[in-house]
Amino acid sequence: GGEPFMWRSNGKGILDIIEKYPDIYFLIYTNGTMITDDVIKRLYKLGNATPTISVEGYEKETDKRRGNGMYKKILKLTENLRKQGIAYGVSITATKENTDIFLQDKFYDFWFDEMGVTYMWMFHYMPIGRAKDSIGLMPTPEQRVKLLKEWEHVLFEKEYFVGDFWNSGACSDGCIAYGREGGYFYVDWNGNINPCVFVPYHKDNIIDLYNNGKTLVDGLMSDYFERGRAWQREYGFYSDEPKNIFTPCSIKDNHADFREKILSDDVKPSDEAAKQALEDPEYFKVMCKYGEEIKELTEPIWQEKIKESNNKVK
């Protein structure tokens, strides 16, 4: 949460943590404003971190969200990173307003061929809060299917390393949340242990656990996380016969399941927006409708992929 390069504690910053653990490779999501020449030199010397810089499209889209002049600053930063030989990537957030940009090859050609990025992460806008305030920016189910087809094209035909956090579910055997095998979890800036950065609900707090003689493992083995992993197994993730992996997300694509099978009364919202989402009946209604629509659109594609896979095995 926030800009990692701003963090300071007892005179130390994020690069000091990276230096302390040379056997771990770190990916840092950043707006890039604090990556000075000195930071670049230190990143080069450390060799175990890659900055992932946030853009929203081209200049117009990026400056609209991140401030006037940001896009040009980012381009200058990427030039300096390339000169130093540091592998870097970009992170993009697809919304209903900018999705059309990400459906064009030229966007990926620009970043990979001209700007020399090593990878790109795409996240779809995830609404958390009251429905009337947040859901309007979410890409429509139709847009998401178009993004799925474009992702397959740029990955397999143009051979650009692009990860689409939802549409690439088949690459990770589905949902990677809840601390599953081969997956991850998210500890926010308050120490709350959330299943995923897009699932802002927690039962345990890492500070409270350690103050009570417990460890992070106790949080990962909570009944909340166990229910999430049970739902993943029921869905068939990391098995030979999964359900539609193009709709892998428990909270976004299977919202009714999230509420009925994973949440419980002792699970707490991690911020005010998450609390509002739980209390807003319209949010529940819209998210369930979204899941139904995206399943209807992607199920034929998923079945065709299964058929193709079976034919290859034969």
Side-chain angles (χ1 to χ4, degrees):
E3 171 53 45
F5 286 98
M6 288 184 68
W7 178 78
R8 291 291 183 276
S9 178
N10 297 320
K12 295 185 180 295
I14 192 73
L15 294 181
D16 296 296
I17 294 178
I18 291 170
E19 183 175 13
K20 185 177 179 180
Y21 299 98
D23 57 336
I24 297 176
Y25 194 74
F26 293 84
L27 185 152
I28 310 169
Y29 289 102
T30 173
N31 61 28
T33 57
M34 300 188 70
I35 302 181
T36 62
D37 288 343
D38 288 339
V39 170
I40 291 175
K41 290 176 182 177
R42 193 171 178 194
L43 284 169
Y44 174 77
K45 182 178 180 180
L46 291 171
N48 63 326
T50 173
T52 308
I53 303 161
S54 300
V55 296
E56 310 299 330
Y58 296 112
E59 184 171 14
K60 175 184 175 182
E61 296 78 23
T62 300
D63 285 5
K64 179 180 179 181
R65 182 176 181 187
R66 299 188 172 274
N68 292 334
M70 265 305 301
Y71 187 74
K72 290 180 179 177
K73 291 179 181 178
I74 289 171
L75 294 187
K76 179 63 178 176
L77 168 61
T78 61
E79 178 184 346
N80 293 337
L81 290 169
R82 290 197 306 277
K83 287 180 179 178
Q84 195 64 56
I86 295 174
Y88 79 98
V90 291
S91 171
I92 58 179
T93 300
T95 70
K96 188 164 65 175
E97 296 178 351
N98 67 3
T99 290
D100 287 348
I101 293 173
F102 307 141
L103 296 176
Q104 302 173 41
D105 283 7
K106 66 179 183 179
F107 178 78
Y108 306 93
D109 293 339
F110 172 73
W111 280 106
F112 282 90
D113 292 343
E114 296 185 37
M115 305 309 296
V117 299
T118 305
Y119 58 89
M120 177 184 292
W121 293 114
M122 177 186 292
F123 300 92
H124 300 194
Y125 177 79
M126 175 63 196
I128 291 290
R130 295 190 184 280
K132 64 181 178 64
D133 298 327
S134 62
I135 285 181
L137 274 177
M138 184 165 56
T140 66
E142 291 79 12
Q143 286 178 317
R144 179 163 155 183
V145 171
K146 291 178 181 179
L147 286 170
L148 166 61
K149 294 177 179 178
E150 177 66 10
W151 166 70
E152 287 189 320
H153 166 62
V154 298
L155 181 68
F156 296 110
E157 296 179 28
K158 299 185 77 67
E159 298 184 341
Y160 297 148
F161 189 97
V162 178
D164 181 323
F165 200 79
W166 279 272
N167 285 332
S168 302
C171 296
S172 59
D173 292 323
C175 169
I176 61 174
Y178 303 101
R180 55 157 263 202
E181 179 183 353
Y184 93 121
F185 58 95
Y186 169 59
V187 180
D188 70 18
W189 49 90
N190 293 312
N192 299 322
I193 306 171
N194 302 284
C196 173
V197 68
F198 297 107
V199 185
Y201 301 96
H202 70 280
K203 182 173 181 178
D204 294 299
N205 180 284
I206 193 169
I207 301 169
D208 295 338
L209 286 176
Y210 277 86
N211 285 341
N212 287 284
K214 298 182 178 181
T215 71
L216 180 60
V217 174
D218 293 283
L220 295 180
M221 299 307 293
S222 70
D223 54 356
Y224 173 37
F225 273 52
E226 288 279 20
R227 286 193 299 272
R229 293 191 290 266
W231 175 81
Q232 292 170 334
R233 290 191 294 271
E234 177 187 322
Y235 203 98
F237 294 147
Y238 44 96
S239 75
D240 293 333
E241 297 182 357
K243 297 177 185 177
N244 183 355
I245 281 187
F246 292 135
T247 57
C249 182
S250 65
I251 192 171
K252 189 173 187 180
D253 303 329
N254 302 272
H255 196 75
D257 279 358
F258 175 70
R259 295 286 189 102
E260 297 167 8
K261 298 182 179 181
I262 301 176
L263 278 187
S264 58
D265 291 340
D266 57 352
V267 174
K268 302 176 284 291
S270 296
D271 55 42
E272 181 60 29
K275 180 176 181 291
Q276 291 177 352
L278 281 183
E279 296 172 347
D280 184 4
E282 182 65 17
Y283 181 89
F284 178 81
K285 178 181 177 181
V286 173
M287 291 303 291
C288 290
K289 183 173 184 290
Y290 172 88
E292 292 169 0
E293 290 177 355
I294 194 64
K295 279 185 169 64
E296 183 178 351
L297 290 174
T298 58
E299 186 62 28
I301 302 174
W302 175 241
Q303 292 301 325
E304 183 61 30
K305 295 296 182 184
I306 292 176
K307 184 178 179 181
E308 291 176 4
S309 177
N310 290 339
N311 288 337
K312 289 180 181 178
V313 171
K314 293 178 182 178

